[in-house]
């Protein structure tokens, strides 16, 4: 074994959002000696192949929708084309700038950046297969030790292993590598990633097919969200949704490169031919395969996620875990907040610092947007009992659509519990749902009741005013 190259107070494995936030807090605020190991581009999934470039794509798709709707407001608008290669180049350049900013921020906070692939060789020692920041392997290994080690390696998208030809498809990672816009796209998966990317393709003019296993998508969301959004994607946007579907075989034409998707759905067996992009959005797994956890005693659950308690402690003292690799709430701001709380506890003397994982607001950048916080109605009824739950909801056409033939849905639901009607669930669909939710999330963290919502004077004319006037 190589000699110890350097010893740290805190060594972070994973340069994604959670790892970066924890490392910078520990070093920048508390002056701990910190190193961070990353084998990919700094920023992790969110910055490189997730939230950030996805939102840029969503912005483009929303612009396409707005330009199409402008005619209803009297504008003589003709959109000749969408230049996907030009858009991709600008988007990629933006992400590259962000990578550079992350690198400079680490340097500003005196965090040692170690490019390479990490592997545990003991409970407090990490061997790194060294590389350049650009990913070129150097053919050398180095060993680092630390008093505290954080595992924040994130996750990766999976593809089916039991469908012949599945390898012809891509995942959400591959979406951002597409050099040209697909003419005919098939996406498989009912989660938010599939729904978001399908919405982008459809809005930009791609013939889009979404294959789901049940009758609705976003099945972990409130029934209102599932029903309203599935109907709108199918009827309002014109997307082709294959319900109760499964794929049986994928074939590729060697001459054209086009795919044929053999499937079965609620209407029986079928084949989609001439498909130039198949995207699997069927789930993610924790990035732990070559981490060497066997040498640490760190416990994993049946799906491979690292088990961590409310303070991010693993089963091995001195080793911590957070973010997607722990499988709690797989959202970037959650990982960031957990990482900062952990640094506060380990190096800031705040013994009880931990993240509260309740009432975490989250958004799906669908068309239109979805914003949720707290419990779904079924979850609330199970937790508090039917007799203790009261639900307020509304669905209407927003004023924006008054001059348009095309109508998009707006729907809100407030789930209340107990005699004082504490708001335990908030579910919104409609334009700007993402922006309005942050403030309501604060109110829910403070324990707001229906009476508190009602006491707030409405802002008129807005859609959001409906949330403080529900009867």
């Amino acid at each position: 074994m190589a000699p110890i190259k350097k010893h740290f107070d805190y060594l972070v494995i994973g340069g994604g959002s959670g790892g970066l936030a924890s490392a910078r807090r520990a070093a920048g605020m508390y002056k701990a000696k910190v190193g961070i190991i990353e084998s990919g581009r700094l920023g992790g999934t969110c910055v490189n192949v997730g939230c950030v470039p996805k939102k840029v794509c969503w912005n483009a798709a929303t612009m396409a929708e707005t330009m199409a709707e402008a005619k209803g407001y009297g504008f003589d608008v003709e959109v000749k084309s969408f230049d996907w290669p030009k858009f991709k180049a600008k988007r990629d350049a933006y992400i590259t700038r962000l990578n550079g900013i992350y690198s400079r921020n680490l340097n500003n906070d005196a965090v040692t950046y170690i490019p390479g692939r990490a592997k545990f060789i003991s409970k407090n020692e990490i061997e790194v297969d060294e590389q350049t920041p650009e990913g070129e392997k150097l053919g050398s290994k180095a060993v680092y030790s630390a008093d505290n080690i954080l595992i924040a390696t994130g996750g990766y998208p999976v593809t089916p292993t039991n469908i012949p030809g599945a390898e012809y498809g891509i995942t959400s990672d591959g979406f951002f590598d597409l050099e040209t816009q697909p003419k005919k796209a098939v996406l498989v998966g009912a989660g938010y990633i599939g729904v978001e990317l399908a919405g982008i393709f459809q809005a930009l003019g791609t013939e889009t097919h979404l294959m789901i296993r049940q009758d609705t998508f976003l099945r972990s969301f409130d029934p209102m969200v599932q029903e309203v959004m599935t109907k709108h994607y199918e009827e309002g946007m014109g997307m082709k949704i294959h319900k109760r579907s499964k794929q049986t075989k994928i074939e590729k034409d060697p001459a054209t490169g086009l795919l044929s998707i053999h499937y079965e759905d609620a209407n029986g067996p079928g084949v989609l031919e001439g498909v130039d992009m198949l995207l699997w959005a069927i789930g993610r797994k924790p990035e732990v395969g070559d981490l060497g956890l066997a040498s640490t005693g760190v416990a994993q659950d049946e799906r491979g996620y690292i088990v961590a308690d409310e303070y991010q402690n693993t089963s091995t003292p001195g080793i911590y875990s957070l973010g997607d690799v722990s499988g709690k709430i797989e959202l970037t701001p959650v990982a960031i907040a957990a990482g900062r709380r952990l640094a506060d506890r380990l190096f800031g003397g705040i013994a009880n610092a931990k993240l509260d994982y309740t009432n975490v607001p989250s958004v799906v950048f669908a068309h239109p947007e979805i914003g949720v916080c707290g419990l779904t109605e079924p979850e609330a009824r199970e937790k508090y009992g039917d007799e203790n739950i009261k639900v307020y909801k509304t669905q209407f056409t927003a004023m924006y659509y008054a001059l348009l033939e095309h109508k998009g849905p707006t729907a809100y639901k407030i789930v209340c519990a107990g005699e004082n009607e504490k708001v335990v669930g908030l579910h919104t669909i409609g334009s700007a749902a993402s922006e309005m939710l942050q403030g309501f999330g604060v109110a829910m963290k403070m324990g707001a009741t229906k009476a508190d919502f009602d006491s707030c004077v409405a802002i008129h004319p807005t859609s959001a005013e409906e949330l403080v006037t529900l009867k």
Side-chain angles (χ1 to χ4, degrees), residues 419-439:
E419 290 185 6
N420 67 340
E421 294 193 338
K422 180 180 179 179
V423 178
V424 297
L426 177 64
H427 307 275
T428 64
I429 299 170
S431 177
S434 60
E435 299 294 346
M436 74 172 71
L437 183 66
Q438 192 73 74

Side-chain angles (χ1 to χ4, degrees), residues 89 95 100 109 112 116 152 155 197 204-205 230 255-256 284 289 298 323 355 382 386:
I95 300 305
D109 285 327
T112 300
L197 298 184
L204 291 176
T230 302
T256 64
R284 296 175 66 83
V298 170
L355 176 62
E382 181 178 355
D386 288 342

